[in-house]
Amino acid sequence: MEKFKKIIDAIGIPRLIVSCFFLAIVITAYVNGIDVKSYFSSTLKYWGMWGVLVLAMVPTIKCGIGPNFGVSLGIVCGLLGTLLSIEFEVMQRVDAILPGFGAWGAFAFAVIVSIVCAWFVGIGYGKVLNLVKGSEMTVTTYIGYSIIYLMCILWFRAPFSSGEIIWPLGGVGVRNSVAMEGSFGYLLTEALGFEIAGIYIPTGIILFVLACCLVVHFYFKSKTGLAIAAVGSNPTFARASGIDVDKMRVKGVAMSTILGAIGIVVYTQAFGYLQAYTAPLSMGFICVASILIGGATTGKASIIHVIIGTFLYQGLIIFTPPVSNHLLAGTDISDTMRQIIQNGVILYALVKTKGGTE
């Protein structure tokens, strides 16, 4: 019995429940003749779309701040980088110099601009969080919502001139949805993709997400990364060891913001449209829920939690609609399930936290 309890603790109750439910959904879909292969293809695609965004949770958890509900700051930087790539017609300019590489050039430009913007925003964000130690999750949630609503005003008056970005009538401001066809839409999703046993493997986006995971993994093996992890594990000991706790926290937040910016660029190319205004509003909660489902806590997180959690969360969201429509004709409980899973695992994680530690 004791051994069984240890196995349950190692897996984690949220991950165990969600894994069993996901397995039951997949079996139900197969038994009822639903095209499981196509939905697995979609799950892999959405795993790639969300992978880097969920990865953005790791640095802030490791540095002791907890899940980054304010990842919206990074998302805004990524949206700006993508819009500037379209505005300056980077794809067309690169194609004129290096035919066939225009989309890659536009993607690289968007990522680089996003990283630079997110670095400065992340530093300021980190300094703010240093002023509110102990209330970080509350403050990050407030900041995450506030920046989205603030950007709604700015997007509406943004001085872009590209016909692909601005409203057709009025000639000013960003559209609700900006098509990525004229830039780097579906670039990673279709790169090196192939089909095996009826399941499409979006190799390009999978490799990109795994590459980002490796970068984060090795970063936390470096001297700076170990110092950030030490601050999150035991700030008192870290300070006694000569580590600048506040500085390491800022670096962790900046890294999380950068990953959020890169993540939304990856998400946007896979989705095929850039969505501004309130579209990113719930992304922070989805990212937090995904990594917690993967087995992370508010104090500990690793790459494997990102990989497993993102797959389970997206798999459930994708498989639930066809199964519910088949069993309960005329209904779609996918959004209800998303809310239950998302908010349930976040609540569980917060309840398990005692005094800010696990």
Side-chain angles (χ1 to χ4, degrees), residues 13 116 125 141 143 152 167 175 205 228 252 287 296 314 316 340:
I13 293 177
V116 173
Y125 177 35
T141 304
I143 291 176
C152 284
W167 290 95
R175 302 182 188 188
I205 197 169
I228 291 174
C287 293
Q314 296 304 322
L316 273 175
I340 292 173

Side-chain angles (χ1 to χ4, degrees), residues 187-204:
L187 178 67
L188 296 177
T189 311
E190 296 178 354
L192 303 175
F194 64 95
E195 190 173 295
I196 181 170
I199 299 175
Y200 180 75
I201 311 296
T203 311

Side-chain angles (χ1 to χ4, degrees), residues 4-5 7-23 292-295 308 312 345:
F4 180 74
K5 185 177 182 299
I7 294 174
I8 297 297
D9 291 339
I11 296 174
I13 293 177
R15 190 199 299 184
L16 182 63
I17 293 174
V18 174
S19 297
C20 291
F21 184 67
F22 176 62
L23 183 61
L292 293 177
I293 286 174
I308 294 175
L312 286 176
V345 295

Side-chain angles (χ1 to χ4, degrees), residues 172-183:
V172 67
V174 180
R175 302 182 188 188
N176 281 324
S177 296
V178 178
M180 297 298 296
E181 290 180 3
S183 189

Side-chain angles (χ1 to χ4, degrees), residues 4 9 14 24 32 34 68 73 79 100 134 264 284 288 317 320 347 358:
F4 180 74
D9 291 339
N32 286 277
I34 296 172
N68 185 11
L73 283 168
L79 292 176
I264 195 63
V288 173
I317 300 306
T320 301
L347 178 62
E358 295 294 326

Side-chain angles (χ1 to χ4, degrees), residues 240-281:
S241 301
I243 298 174
D244 188 332
V245 172
D246 287 351
K247 184 178 180 180
M248 291 302 109
R249 280 166 57 98
V250 168
K251 286 187 176 182
V253 173
M255 186 177 186
S256 176
T257 307
I258 288 172
L259 288 170
I262 297 172
I264 195 63
V265 176
V266 175
Y267 178 96
T268 298
Q269 66 79 33
F271 190 68
Y273 289 88
L274 179 149
Q275 293 183 302
Y277 299 95
T278 58
L281 203 57

